[in-house]
Every structure is written in C-alpha cells, then in structure tokens.
Amino acid sequence: MNYLRVPSEITFSEIRSKDNSWSPTMFRRVIIPNTNVKQVADLLDPSNPFEKGVEPGSTYYLQKSSHYFIRTKALKDHSYLLYPKGDAITAINPKVFEDPKLTDGDILMSKDSNVGECAIVDGNRWRNHMFSGGIIRLNPAANRLYLFAFLKHPLFKTQLLAMSPRGSTITHAKKLWLNCLIPFPNQHDSELIINYVSALMQAIIEKEKSIRSKAELIHSLIQTELKENQKQRQFQFNPPPISEIKSLWRLDAVIYDKEYKANIWLIENYVHGFETPKEAEFIVTPGPSLEIKIIRTRIDSETYRPGYYTLILPTNISLYGVMSVISYLGTAKSLPLLNRGDIVIGEAGFHKGRSIVLLDNWPKCTTNAHGIYVRRSDGNIKKSVFFRCIFNWYRTMRLIDIMAVGGSGGHFSPEYFNYVRIPKFPEDKQNEIVKLYHNEASPPSELPNLDTLVDWHRQWNASLGIWELNREMRALQRLLYDIQEQIIEGKIVQVPPNIIRHVPDQGQ
C-alpha cells in the first residue's frame, strides 16, 4: 500500500520549519491509519540507543586479512542478513580495527547512501568485523524482532526518505530515523500479535541462514571431492608454450596465470575425468533482447498480471542460486520461453556467473540479453542441478571472472562454455550435492503453532534444498507482510491455531 502523500496545501510555518525550502519533496507525508504508534527512539535503550561505526579510510583495505570491514552496501532490501556481495565486506588492516563486539541478533542500519537498509547479525562469526561510519547499531529496549520486522517493511523506508533532504550526492538520514513511527497491534491481545510477528520474522531468518549454510556446504563438498581424488601427477606451473596460445587463440594473460592453472588443474587432473557441457548434452543459448526498439511495447510490473512474462533477470539472481526479486513484463512480442529444469546464468557485468535452475512452474518465464540459458534435451533435472552447482564453484573460485573478456565486469559469452569442464563425480556424490540445492521432501504431519513455529522450521529446514527453502521463505514473507498491513491499517489480527507451513510459489 502507498502511504506517501503530498498535501494539497501547506502553511507558512511548515515552510519556515523546512528552512524556507519550496521543494515539494520536503513536504511529503506518510499517513498511517493505525494511531497506536511509537517512534523508533522510544523503542531503544534510553541509556545507549545506538552506536555509530568507524570510517578508517580505503587506504587500509587489504586483499587478505584476519579482520574485516562491513560497508553500507552489505545491507540489502532483499536480505535479512549481511550480504557479502563483491567488496561489501572487505579485508582491513588489523592496526585500525576497532572491535564493536558484534553478537548474534545485533541490528545494523545504514544512515547514509542506501538509507534505511538494515540487517541482523547471525551467530558469532562476525566477532572480527567492524562496521563503517555510515552504519549504526541499534540497541532495542524490547521487542527486537518486532522492531526489525518493521524496519524491513517498506513503511519505514518510505517515512525515512520523506524526511531526508534530497541532494545531488548521497542522501544522509542523520538522526531523522529516530522520528520514524512503528505501528503496534491495536487490540486487547496485542502482546500475542507482537510474539506472532516476532516468531515469523525469526522463522524467515532461519530460512535464509539455512540457504547460506547449504550453499557453503555444496562448495565444500565439491572442493573436497576434487582435492581428495587427484591423479598422482603433481601440479607444476609453467609459462604457456606458443602451441597452447595458438590452440586457444587468446592473448588474455590471466588464463595463463598460476591462479587459473592451479584451480582448473583440480578438474583436469580429477581421477574420474571430466566432460564439456556439449559432451554432457547441454545446449547453451543467449537470452533475447528486451530493448523497446525491438519488442516495441513494454510494460514493467513488480506484481504478476495475467498474460505477462515472468522475468528471470541475472541481476536478481542471488549469490546462493535463488531469485531475490521477481519482476514481470507485458509485451505483445513473442519471446522465447524457459522450461522447468533450464539453468539461467548471468552473462555480463557484476552478476556474471550467477546461476539458478528453474524448478517452479512460474508462468511464461523468459530472461534478457544479459542472461544465458542452458538446457538439456532430455530434461534431466538432476544433471542440470549438478551442472549449476559445478558452475557456481567456478564462479566462487574466480574462474568465470578469469575466463571472461571485456570491461564493465566482463562478459562470459556462450562460446566460452567450451572452457568449462564438468567433473564426472560418482553418482552418490552427485546425489548428495543435488539434494542440498533441490530436494522435495514431505513435511511433518503436525502443523506448527505459535509456540513451536521457529523450532518446527529449524527442524524442517534440514530436509529441504536451497530452492525449496527459498520458496518457503517467500511464503512466510507474504504471510508476515499481510499481517503487518493489517497492523498498519489498525485491523484485528487473528493468530490461527495452526500456522501456515508452505504456500506453493507461483512467482506471484
């Protein structure tokens, strides 16, 4: 729902309060129907409401270190946890490290640049991390997860952006965020509803944590299988002979470098051998161009509409092999459709190499020219998922970056798939890896109630693959959003005796 309004008239006193500004954006207001609201400032510890980060300067950034620096770009709207994309979390010189003692459950919020984005610290693995001066750590007095749930709701950012001054450079929220309003249930059993929202928020966090841990385990299993099953020959780095350069017809220095040679050797020297995607019966096809001059009509939508295409855009593929955002496109142009089991891979830019396997029957799926889709003629889902996991290993090991060409992040065009080698893992090892990404399991017959919701999902998560975890996380997000909308509108919220466990995700 859109809560942002521009008044039809304003008073002179309002103009004076805005430093005599005549900019219309300065007078936007957010209307919350529910009158039972509290300012963020009132929900924080009065003795120590928040703590600011430290800005040591980029001169102290390192390639490798025992200590790390969290930047504002690690806080993303589509993620509840810190998001380690690119240089969002960078190694830093220990000499300038100031320990903020990050602990499980800490809430970090950006007050500069991507204003209002926040994330929650998961576990104790962030002890050797500090955060930037553009980030603050909130110290809630109570209802930590309830506050966090509404900080992630669009209402909070809408309020903050309406308050923040607009400029030609970075937007700064200063301390205006303290004045943002958080709605509370307007009913006699409000504490029950607060606990309901908190439990749903925790269940969503558990889903995302499980997605990440299974993605890390997939990488670890592939790395271990390759390293422990090498032929007797030992790796030796030598400058490339002229014959190798002639056979590859490339002068890119990096593909002849030690880093690339050492990592690709793990597959080329694998005891069970390897095959190329073509030999494994994969067909690689570039995605269609969606430029307006080609498709003529184009209507973009954030919500599903009948007849629209579901866009599987590489920029919306997460680091963990799922869609962080799904958008839709209306056009009269006939576009090539993706099939269930197709692998979609980012071809260019900073999303290059990110990949998913399409495993839900979303309506009329297609991608764009920055996407490549890889298809098997036999529709073998297991083989597609295994290839996607191997390809993601390539990306994580920087092999895709090295093999790509061009500026602005580089391009990994279909012809470069000839450089990819798929190791012939034993069937049991392939099955172990595939089930971590895709595993349709039968849920327990007993539905969770409010008291058992979080523990129920923690146990259930162990049986699911990454794709299914994300599907259920999206269902929980929709449920939480609906409840928050009821609270914002001042409606009565009912806690069902058995809480929803799964809603099939149709990409809507």
Side-chain angles (χ1 to χ4, degrees):
M1 182 177 291
N2 182 17
Y3 299 103
L4 192 61
R5 302 285 188 274
V6 177
S8 57
E9 59 182 42
I10 55 176
T11 64
F12 281 111
S13 60
E14 286 181 281
I15 296 173
R16 286 192 289 268
S17 70
K18 301 289 185 181
D19 297 324
N20 294 315
S21 171
W22 287 92
S23 172
T25 60
M26 295 294 289
F27 300 95
R28 295 181 299 178
R29 299 169 183 166
V30 174
I31 306 300
I32 301 177
N34 185 357
T35 57
N36 185 19
V37 295
K38 295 180 182 179
Q39 288 188 336
V40 171
D42 297 330
L43 302 175
L44 303 178
D45 184 347
S47 62
N48 183 25
F50 63 91
E51 300 157 45
K52 296 179 182 179
V54 179
E55 198 63 51
S58 59
T59 55
Y60 294 100
Y61 295 176
L62 301 175
Q63 289 293 323
K64 292 183 179 180
S65 177
S66 58
H67 293 76
Y68 297 88
F69 180 64
I70 302 170
R71 306 172 70 186
T72 56
K73 61 176 72 175
L75 311 178
K76 297 292 185 183
D77 61 345
H78 61 75
S79 178
Y80 297 87
L81 308 178
L82 293 166
Y83 198 72
K85 174 189 173 184
D87 60 349
I89 300 176
T90 187
I92 197 168
N93 192 324
K95 292 181 179 179
V96 297
F97 182 78
E98 295 186 27
D99 190 2
K101 294 182 172 56
L102 287 173
T103 57
D104 186 44
D106 280 351
I107 299 174
L108 301 182
M109 188 184 77
S110 174
K111 65 181 182 65
D112 299 339
S113 187
N114 52 339
V115 172
E117 296 297 355
C118 59
I120 199 163
V121 174
D122 60 307
N124 296 316
R125 60 195 180 98
W126 302 97
R127 288 288 176 87
N128 58 340
H129 289 66
M130 61 186 290
F131 52 91
S132 92
I135 297 175
I136 51 178
R137 172 168 55 187
L138 306 184
N139 296 320
N143 304 322
R144 177 180 296 271
L145 287 171
Y146 184 89
L147 171 61
F148 181 65
F150 273 94
L151 292 178
K152 295 297 290 185
H153 190 278
L155 176 67
F156 173 72
K157 191 185 294 184
T158 301
Q159 292 180 79
L160 193 55
L161 293 177
M163 296 176 182
S164 302
R166 322 308 296 167
S168 58
T169 56
I170 295 174
T171 299
H172 296 271
K174 301 179 182 178
K175 291 186 180 180
L176 295 171
W177 54 272
L178 288 166
N179 300 325
C180 290
L181 301 175
I182 302 297
F184 280 79
N186 199 7
Q187 54 194 86
H188 72 279
D189 57 348
S190 60
E191 245 349 276
L192 179 67
I193 307 306
I194 289 172
N195 292 338
Y196 186 23
V197 169
S198 299
L200 286 172
M201 186 72 264
Q202 184 64 58
I204 291 169
I205 291 170
E206 294 298 328
K207 295 288 182 191
E208 188 167 358
K209 286 165 63 176
S210 188
I211 286 171
R212 295 192 181 193
S213 65
K214 294 197 177 192
E216 292 169 1
L217 182 55
I218 288 173
H219 179 80
S220 177
L221 287 173
I222 294 173
Q223 188 78 349
T224 300
E225 172 66 21
L226 291 172
K227 283 191 172 183
E228 292 183 354
N229 293 280
Q230 292 287 293
K231 298 175 183 177
Q232 291 185 349
R233 291 185 301 163
Q234 298 296 314
F235 172 72
Q236 291 183 337
F237 175 71
N238 296 304
I242 293 295
S243 59
E244 181 180 0
I245 297 175
K246 283 184 176 180
S247 67
L248 295 176
W249 282 99
R250 289 184 67 175
L251 294 176
D252 312 58
V254 187
I255 67 168
Y256 305 110
D257 194 32
K258 184 176 181 179
E259 178 188 3
Y260 176 79
K261 292 288 189 179
N263 286 325
I264 203 69
W265 173 265
L266 290 173
I267 291 184
E268 293 180 341
N269 196 51
Y270 180 58
V271 68
H272 297 301
F274 61 85
E275 57 189 348
T276 65
K278 185 176 181 180
E279 292 169 340
E281 301 181 33
F282 287 102
I283 301 170
V284 182
T285 308
S289 174
L290 302 182
E291 292 184 48
I292 192 70
K293 64 181 180 181
I294 295 176
I295 64 175
R296 296 185 180 274
T297 57
R298 173 170 180 160
I299 305 173
D300 291 283
S301 174
E302 294 180 357
T303 56
Y304 175 73
R305 297 181 183 182
Y308 276 38
Y309 287 92
T310 303
L311 289 180
I312 309 299
L313 303 179
T315 188
N316 294 333
I317 299 175
S318 81
L319 299 176
Y320 309 103
V322 294
M323 297 300 295
S324 57
V325 177
I326 298 178
S327 54
Y328 305 91
L329 171 69
T331 181
K333 180 75 173 180
S334 179
L335 301 174
L337 297 179
L338 301 174
N339 298 332
R340 185 174 184 271
D342 284 353
I343 310 165
V344 180
I345 298 173
E347 184 265 344
F350 297 105
H351 48 259
K352 175 182 72 272
R354 295 194 207 172
S355 58
I356 68 163
V357 183
L358 192 62
L359 295 170
D360 281 326
N361 293 314
W362 293 335
K364 292 181 65 175
C365 287
T366 191
T367 184
N368 65 1
H370 292 292
I372 295 170
Y373 58 97
V374 183
R375 176 177 295 169
R376 292 186 62 86
S377 57
D378 62 1
N380 190 312
I381 297 293
K382 192 189 88 169
K383 294 294 184 184
S384 293
V385 171
F386 179 69
F387 175 51
R388 182 267 156 196
C389 293
I390 293 296
F391 193 86
N392 192 63
W393 177 86
Y394 272 78
R395 183 195 63 80
T396 306
M397 299 297 288
R398 283 195 358 102
L399 293 173
I400 300 300
D401 285 334
I402 290 171
M403 290 187 283
V405 296
S408 300
H411 296 260
F412 194 80
S413 302
E415 57 265 30
Y416 290 107
F417 278 77
N418 294 328
Y419 294 99
V420 177
R421 309 284 186 260
I422 307 172
K424 296 181 179 180
F425 282 9
E427 284 295 316
D428 60 339
K429 184 60 63 175
Q430 288 190 41
N431 292 336
E432 183 181 5
I433 290 169
V434 167
K435 284 185 177 180
L436 288 169
Y437 184 83
H438 169 49
N439 189 36
E440 294 276 10
S442 298
S445 57
E446 184 178 350
L447 288 168
N449 56 36
L450 181 55
D451 294 331
T452 62
L453 178 65
V454 176
D455 287 338
W456 188 94
H457 277 287
R458 283 193 183 117
Q459 295 174 15
W460 173 225
N461 290 347
S463 303
L464 299 176
I466 288 174
W467 187 269
E468 289 72 28
L469 283 165
N470 186 66
R471 179 197 291 160
E472 294 212 347
M473 185 173 73
R474 290 171 63 85
L476 288 171
Q477 286 173 326
R478 289 194 296 270
L479 175 59
L480 175 60
Y481 182 83
D482 289 344
I483 293 166
Q484 289 176 298
E485 288 293 297
Q486 292 176 53
I487 294 173
I488 293 168
E489 294 170 13
K491 296 180 178 179
I492 299 298
V493 178
Q494 300 289 342
V495 179
N498 292 312
I499 298 171
I500 186 171
R501 63 186 179 193
H502 170 68
V503 174
D505 190 348
Q506 298 301 322
Q508 297 179 27

